[in-house]
Amino acid sequence: MTIAATDTSPKTELTDVLIIGAGPSGALAASLLHQQGHKVLVLEKQYFPRFSIGESLLPCCMQFIEEAGMLDAVNNAGFQYKNGAAFNSQGRYITFDFTEKYTPGPGTTFQVQRGKFDKLLADTAQSQGVEIRYGQEVIDVDLSAKPLVQVKSDQGRKYQIQAKYILDASGFGRVLPKLLDLERPSNLASRCAIFTHIRDNINDGRFDRNKILISVHPDHKDVWYWLIPFSDGTSSIGVVAEPHLLEHLSGTLEEQLLTITRQEPYLEKILQHAEIIQTVNKLQGYSANVTRLATDKFALLGNAGEFLDPVFSSGVTIAMQSASMAAKSLHRQLQGQKVDWQAEYAKPLSQGVDTFRTYVEAWYDTRFQDVIFYENPNPKIKEMICSILAGYAWDNNNPFVIESQRRLDMVVNLCK
């Protein structure tokens, strides 16, 4: 009797689109492509809910959430309403009301615990019919023919997926940049963030929970803090600085965060009764870039492509913008149309990212801080800058978008 040999070759599955990562960009892209009738499979290494920073959304995000059919779910989730940003430095307190912006579109949004928010988006995509598999790690990719991906589950099972296209929405995991050797250094200085969640116990009646608060260190203007209030009386608190500016801090990460937060007078005052309720974390060297954002076989979404800096909360906005743009281009390609991914995706996406970069760089060299805290701003100019801070960095009708560097330099000179 002949005994057949056991087939140990990995199983190969077929899909139209394979998305790596179920965070905001992955969930939105999956929803948009599923709506167009494409077979989409999302692989996520972790299980949701899971912690992530990037908790203060920008109003621009709301149009992408609506586009994906997720607006009702987000509106009804009980997140903290957000209508702007507040900046605090050496006793000066300036606000930007996002409803008073130059660009049409939503002027309000939410501040969200990302564990709950990301799970809500992923669950909503699943309810629409998208397949999401958790505990699945992409360990290799072959682009020599049709994209072929090797996957390993957290149970140790290995299998293959052949897709017509891959979207990398893996965020800081940066799966394809690592596997395809696409990573290149960011032109931004290496910085680190120390952060946690607190029960803030703020009883200052002047404190506005509807805005993110960005505070500047009294002695080092390139050191700043975020305070993001949530609807349940908790907040996200963090400090960002170049590593050498934190080297003098001793003790645990919790002790270091408390020490440097108390150095800012307003934060020390309003957080005098705060209680840390989560392990303090540290993230260093987070700014990243790549040699290529997309080809006819893959595209990088959000942080998988480029991450700038958390100072203006641009991360989730860039993620959602990239998901929307990539889904539109990919739909056309899957229909048999020719897509120039450099001209139709990478270049226009990078234009908005570069607009944000202009303001990030000017924040750290303090020129933009001088603009923010200028006592008598021109109302029209403030509206245009407010649009960018609200996430509308792709509005080519805004002169501060289309000529971001020149226009900002002009305002800096005026403020002098």
Side-chain angles (χ1 to χ4, degrees):
M1 181 177 66
T2 302
I3 301 176
T6 302
D7 183 7
T8 59
S9 60
K11 177 184 176 183
T12 301
E13 302 180 30
L14 302 177
T15 190
D16 291 336
V17 184
L18 177 66
I19 300 179
I20 307 171
S25 63
L28 262 68
S31 172
L32 295 170
L33 290 162
H34 177 78
Q35 291 174 27
Q36 298 285 353
H38 303 296
K39 184 179 180 181
V40 181
L41 174 60
V42 182
L43 302 179
E44 169 58 52
K45 183 178 179 180
Q46 297 180 292
Y47 286 87
F48 285 13
R50 52 92 175 95
F51 176 79
S52 178
I53 56 173
E55 300 145 317
S56 191
L57 305 183
L58 300 183
C60 182
C61 294
M62 303 308 292
Q63 60 189 5
F64 303 120
I65 292 171
E66 182 175 20
E67 183 182 9
M70 300 179 177
L71 188 59
D72 286 346
V74 172
N75 282 339
N76 296 329
F79 294 123
Q80 172 65 49
Y81 174 82
K82 175 186 175 182
N83 61 13
F87 295 86
N88 160 54
S89 177
Q90 296 181 331
R92 295 171 295 176
Y93 184 87
I94 300 294
T95 63
F96 282 77
D97 185 335
F98 289 157
T99 65
E100 299 174 357
K101 57 181 173 50
Y102 175 81
T103 304
T108 64
T109 185
F110 299 100
Q111 297 177 155
V112 301
Q113 296 97 329
R114 284 287 302 279
K116 179 181 177 182
F117 178 73
D118 290 10
K119 187 176 188 302
L120 177 67
L121 297 188
D123 288 350
T124 305
Q126 282 184 305
S127 72
Q128 296 171 346
V130 172
E131 181 180 0
I132 301 178
R133 298 179 190 170
Y134 293 95
Q136 311 295 307
E137 180 181 8
V138 172
I139 57 176
D140 199 11
V141 61
D142 182 357
L143 299 180
S144 58
K146 286 186 177 180
L148 184 65
V149 172
Q150 307 291 330
V151 184
K152 181 180 179 181
S153 75
D154 58 1
Q155 302 299 313
R157 185 175 75 91
K158 294 182 179 180
Y159 58 100
Q160 299 181 150
I161 298 173
Q162 188 173 78
K164 297 176 182 176
Y165 202 85
I166 302 174
L167 293 175
D168 186 351
S170 60
F172 289 121
R174 298 172 64 78
V175 172
L176 289 189
K178 291 177 180 177
L179 291 176
L180 300 177
D181 194 26
L182 301 174
E183 293 190 296
R184 69 179 174 89
S186 170
N187 59 357
L188 296 173
S190 177
R191 293 184 172 86
C192 70
I194 304 175
F195 52 89
T196 190
H197 282 184
I198 57 175
R199 185 159 300 284
D200 56 66
N201 296 317
I202 297 174
N203 55 20
D204 186 329
R206 296 170 299 173
F207 180 71
D208 187 352
R209 300 192 72 88
N210 296 333
K211 293 178 176 64
I212 181 177
L213 174 64
I214 296 175
S215 300
V216 181
H217 191 279
D219 299 320
H220 302 283
K221 285 191 173 184
D222 58 343
V223 177
W224 64 277
Y225 312 80
W226 76 71
L227 182 63
I228 303 171
F230 300 130
S231 58
D232 60 358
T234 65
S235 290
S236 173
I237 177 79
V239 61
V240 175
E242 291 187 38
H244 71 91
L245 293 173
L246 302 177
E247 289 174 353
H248 68 284
L249 299 173
S250 60
T252 64
L253 282 179
E254 179 175 325
E255 291 168 336
Q256 291 177 31
L257 180 59
L258 289 173
T259 296
I260 196 165
T261 301
R262 289 168 181 153
Q263 293 174 4
E264 204 294 305
Y266 183 58
L267 289 179
E268 182 184 29
K269 177 186 176 183
I270 64 174
L271 297 178
Q272 59 183 311
H273 302 298
E275 308 164 62
I276 292 178
I277 58 174
Q278 182 175 291
T279 302
V280 177
N281 291 294
K282 184 176 183 179
L283 184 63
Q284 186 164 326
Y286 44 72
S287 297
N289 209 336
V290 291
T291 57
R292 192 173 186 86
L293 279 172
T295 70
D296 61 353
K297 295 181 179 179
F298 73 85
L300 309 179
L301 307 182
N303 295 349
E306 181 170 7
F307 182 73
L308 295 174
D309 189 271
V311 64
F312 301 125
S313 306
S314 62
V316 176
T317 300
I318 294 172
M320 291 185 174
Q321 176 78 36
S322 65
S324 177
M325 293 174 63
K328 290 180 175 66
S329 294
L330 182 51
H331 172 59
R332 291 176 44 241
Q333 178 168 304
L334 292 173
Q335 287 185 310
Q337 299 179 43
K338 178 68 175 177
V339 173
D340 183 336
W341 282 91
Q342 180 63 26
E344 299 176 44
Y345 174 71
K347 185 176 180 180
L349 177 64
S350 296
Q351 178 185 318
V353 175
D354 288 344
T355 298
F356 278 124
R357 180 184 288 105
T358 295
Y359 286 82
V360 168
E361 291 176 343
W363 170 266
Y364 283 108
D365 67 25
T366 75
R367 292 180 304 131
F368 188 44
Q369 294 184 33
D370 293 339
V371 173
I372 287 175
F373 293 107
Y374 187 65
E375 291 184 358
N376 298 298
N378 179 293
K380 195 66 176 178
I381 290 176
K382 187 172 182 179
E383 286 180 6
M384 294 177 180
I385 293 175
C386 188
S387 285
I388 295 169
L389 296 180
Y392 295 95
W394 290 266
D395 176 17
N396 288 334
N397 292 318
N398 185 347
F400 282 78
V401 168
I402 201 66
E403 296 180 306
S404 61
Q405 190 66 63
R406 189 177 76 82
R407 292 283 180 166
L408 180 58
D409 288 344
M410 176 192 73
V411 177
V412 169
N413 290 330
L414 287 174
C415 291
K416 290 179 180 178

